[in-house]
């Protein structure tokens, strides 16, 4: 239901782009994401992963203070795990390349400062897994590459291709057309295709970046 509402909202906004006051723009920045699980002890293994995002913005203004904002963003999200034993360290980075479509209601508190909140729909572009090791783990580079392929296949087979959640944040107009932003997105849908015993996995992420509106 939330997914349908987001898609319908985006469609309504884009359909009236040229009949209302609308600004378009570009944005890019840094992401900090992690998985969240309801399985006991699982969250102790997940650690946040740094990434990046870039995309397009369409802001449709309804009044001097109120606007609706729709975005289409590529984001490198996911999580990482780090295993340490004696002098051996194995770091596994799960890169989830996603197309994220946030739909937000924005209120300008002042000319410079705006606050926004809404929902988002995230769809899979691709998954990728990278292992980084230190110390003698007794595994060849070829075996490590094969493990990366097997882990990627596991993510492809067991994670859903789309998810949705809520997001909120602020933006600050530094110059006439240039702004900086900070946002937090919280996943609400279970990313596991066939969960066992009510197992649930969601993803949350922070964004911080800069944008330009024409």
């Amino acid at each position: 239901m939330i997914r349908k509402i987001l898609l319908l909202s985006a469609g309504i906004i884009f359909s009236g782009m040229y009949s209302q006051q609308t600004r378009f723009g570009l944005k890019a920045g840094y992401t900090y994401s992690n998985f969240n699980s309801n399985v006991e002890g699982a969250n102790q293994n997940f650690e946040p992963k740094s990434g990046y995002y870039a995309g397009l913005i369409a802001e449709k203004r309804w009044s001097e203070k109120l606007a609706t904002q729709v975005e289409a963003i590529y984001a490198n999200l996911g999580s990482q795990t780090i295993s340490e034993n004696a002098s051996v360290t194995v770091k596994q980075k799960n890169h989830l390349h996603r197309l994220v479509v946030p739909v937000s209601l924005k209120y300008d508190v002042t000319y410079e400062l705006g606050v926004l909140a809404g929902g988002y729909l995230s769809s899979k572009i691709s998954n990728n897994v990278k292992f980084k090791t230190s110390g003698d783990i007794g595994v060849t580079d070829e075996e490590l590459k094969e493990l990366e392929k097997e882990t990627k296949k596991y993510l492809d087979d067991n994670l859903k291709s789309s998810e949705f959640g809520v997001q909120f944040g602020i933006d600050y107009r530094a110059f006439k057309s240039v702004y900086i932003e900070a946002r937090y997105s919280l996943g609400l849908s279970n990313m596991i295709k066939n969960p066992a015993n009510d197992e649930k996995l969601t993803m949350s992420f922070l964004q911080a970046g800069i944008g330009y509106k024409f």
Side-chain angles (χ1 to χ4, degrees):
M1 177 59 72
I2 296 178
R3 189 182 311 170
K4 292 180 179 178
I5 292 173
L6 286 172
L7 291 175
L8 179 61
S9 300
I12 292 172
I13 293 167
F14 279 119
S15 66
M17 282 296 176
Y18 299 101
S19 61
Q20 299 288 339
Q21 184 179 357
T22 304
R23 298 181 71 188
F24 297 90
L26 305 171
K27 63 188 298 186
Y30 169 81
T31 62
Y32 193 65
S33 58
N34 200 4
F35 291 147
N36 305 295
S37 175
N38 65 344
V39 177
E40 184 177 356
N43 286 328
Q44 296 177 0
N45 297 321
F46 296 137
E47 296 191 13
K49 181 189 79 71
S50 296
Y52 54 91
Y53 70 94
L56 307 173
I57 315 158
E59 182 184 275
K60 182 175 180 179
R61 187 151 296 279
W62 302 100
S63 68
E64 184 180 348
K65 290 286 189 179
L66 197 62
T68 307
Q69 189 165 287
V70 179
E71 303 160 48
I73 299 169
Y74 159 76
N76 181 337
L77 304 174
S79 184
Q80 67 178 347
T81 59
I82 301 175
S83 302
E84 295 180 319
N85 184 11
S87 60
V88 175
T89 300
V90 179
K91 180 183 292 186
Q92 174 186 333
K93 284 193 174 184
N94 304 305
H95 298 281
L96 274 60
H97 303 282
R98 314 288 285 187
L99 173 64
V100 185
V101 181
V103 179
S104 309
L105 186 64
K106 181 184 174 187
Y107 179 78
D108 290 330
V109 181
T110 66
Y111 175 78
E112 293 85 7
L113 180 64
V115 296
L116 54 86
Y120 74 89
L121 177 66
S122 169
S123 298
K124 169 188 169 183
I125 298 174
S126 66
N127 295 321
N128 194 18
V129 177
K130 291 294 182 182
F131 285 93
K132 185 176 181 180
T133 65
S134 64
D136 184 11
I137 61 172
V139 177
T140 65
D141 291 341
E142 290 75 15
E143 291 172 328
L144 203 59
K145 291 293 184 184
E146 187 61 31
L147 182 59
E148 289 176 347
K149 292 179 181 179
E150 292 176 0
T151 309
K152 176 187 181 302
K153 186 177 186 303
Y154 177 84
L155 295 180
D156 290 338
D157 292 342
N158 291 278
L159 295 185
K160 295 177 181 177
S161 59
S162 63
E163 57 153 345
F164 60 85
V166 295
Q167 45 91 26
F168 53 89
I170 60 173
D171 64 25
Y172 183 82
R173 193 191 308 246
F175 301 100
K176 184 176 181 180
S177 298
V178 178
Y179 70 95
I180 55 177
E181 70 166 6
R183 193 176 304 186
Y184 176 70
S185 299
L186 175 65
L188 298 179
S189 59
N190 193 353
M191 299 180 68
I192 301 174
K193 286 183 180 179
N194 300 299
N197 301 319
D198 297 322
E199 180 185 12
K200 187 174 182 179
L201 182 74
T202 61
M203 182 167 56
S204 60
F205 55 98
L206 290 167
Q207 296 171 239
I210 188 170
Y212 181 87
K213 293 179 183 176
F214 304 102

